[in-house]
Amino acid sequence: MSIRQDTRHLYLQVIEQIKRDIENGIFLEKEKLPSEFELSKSLGVSRATLREALRILEEESIVTRRHGVGTFVNPKPVFTSGIEELDSVTGMIRKSGMTPGSQYLSAELVEPTEDDRGRFAPAVLHKLARVERVRTADQQPVVYCTDRIPEGLIPLEQVREADSLFGILERYTGKTISYAVTHIEPIGYHEKISPILNSEPDQALLLLKQMHYTKDDEPVLLSSNYFRADKFSFHVLRKRV
């Protein structure tokens, strides 16, 4: 599988070849790649070129490099969604052909912080309902969710049995969530959340912080969702203006 000389940089050819080999099953998910010496020799490139290719593949979450151990192929994400599409976690899991579920952790009324008050302005907050859940796909934990909702918008006693907070909120208030402002933050190992999601110490999480609004621009739901990066991927359609 020597690299054919063409007009592109060698490291780009290496990246393409390794991706092809993963797609064709030559390199299997969760398995270790050959050593840098073996891989550079078989590809016909220098180890410096190979290292640059592996660095970019790691940035793309195709592989994980473990210092002193080797480079491993990451599993393909099971769930993928366009970030411009506002869908609940329940909807994403169903679209993948799996059964969504929830493991209820807690629901309580808490004092809003100054940051909360600013985010939910111009509404005047007295209390926030804070709900913690683990979302499952075919009974496997995949997302850790913390949701904050102004007091009175949802009945807390219904949260335990609910799959979708979207559904409860819309049924109970008659208000439809129209859009969300989302911030995405990759994070490393989290002492509390990573073990709950059965994540390996070197597995990253994707944190999506979202404020959801009605069509009348009313903020009604602030969520912090921690996704297993090996299970979920997000993309966005960008248009030239």
Side-chain angles (χ1 to χ4, degrees), residues 107-110 127-131 147-152 154 156:
E108 59 181 343
L109 292 175
V110 298
K127 294 281 188 178
L128 280 176
R130 185 176 186 274
V131 181
D147 298 290
R148 283 170 283 179
I149 306 159
E151 180 183 13
I154 64 169
L156 288 184

Side-chain angles (χ1 to χ4, degrees), residues 82-240:
I83 200 66
E84 72 277 5
E85 303 167 5
L86 181 56
D87 196 2
S88 66
V89 174
T90 298
M92 291 178 62
I93 293 172
R94 282 185 176 145
K95 286 178 182 177
S96 73
M98 305 178 79
T99 302
S102 293
Q103 296 174 359
Y104 168 86
L105 298 180
S106 68
E108 59 181 343
L109 292 175
V110 298
E111 290 288 340
T113 66
E114 286 305 312
D115 182 62
D116 291 332
R117 295 183 192 279
R119 287 174 177 269
F120 282 97
V124 178
L125 296 182
H126 299 289
K127 294 281 188 178
L128 280 176
R130 185 176 186 274
V131 181
E132 289 184 278
R133 299 172 301 155
V134 175
R135 306 309 313 279
T136 61
D138 286 351
Q139 301 184 338
Q140 297 301 311
V142 290
V143 190
Y144 180 94
C145 303
T146 300
D147 298 290
R148 283 170 283 179
I149 306 159
E151 180 183 13
L153 287 188
I154 64 169
L156 288 184
E157 64 272 11
Q158 292 188 19
V159 170
R160 183 185 293 270
E161 304 300 328
D163 279 336
S164 174
L165 281 187
F166 275 29
I168 292 182
L169 187 63
E170 293 179 349
R171 286 194 305 270
Y172 194 73
T173 65
K175 300 176 181 180
T176 300
I177 293 175
S178 179
Y179 67 97
V181 176
T182 304
H183 298 272
I184 303 177
E185 179 184 344
I187 62 174
Y189 185 82
H190 191 288
E191 289 186 359
K192 175 183 177 182
I193 296 171
S194 294
I196 290 175
L197 296 180
N198 296 331
S199 296
E200 298 293 335
D202 57 358
Q203 284 181 339
L205 300 174
L206 288 175
L207 170 58
L208 267 67
K209 297 180 180 179
Q210 299 189 100
M211 175 59 84
H212 300 80
Y213 297 84
T214 68
K215 63 180 181 179
D216 298 319
D217 301 323
E218 178 188 357
V220 292
L221 171 62
L222 178 60
S223 64
S224 296
N225 295 334
Y226 297 79
F227 294 83
R228 280 185 54 163
D230 63 325
K231 298 293 185 183
F232 286 84
S233 69
F234 298 95
H235 55 270
V236 63
L237 174 65
R238 303 180 68 195
K239 296 182 179 180
R240 188 174 182 179

Side-chain angles (χ1 to χ4, degrees), residues 1-5 10-11 13-21 27 33-46 49-51 53-54 57:
M1 60 176 180
S2 294
I3 292 294
R4 184 179 70 252
Q5 297 297 319
L10 275 177
Y11 74 88
Q13 299 176 55
V14 172
I15 290 169
E16 185 177 284
Q17 183 64 56
I18 292 176
K19 285 181 175 179
R20 276 200 301 266
D21 289 341
F27 302 138
L33 292 179
S35 68
E36 286 187 1
F37 173 78
E38 295 171 317
L39 202 51
S40 61
K41 184 178 180 181
S42 65
L43 290 168
V45 298
S46 69
T49 296
L50 174 65
R51 286 172 184 154
L54 293 177
L57 287 170

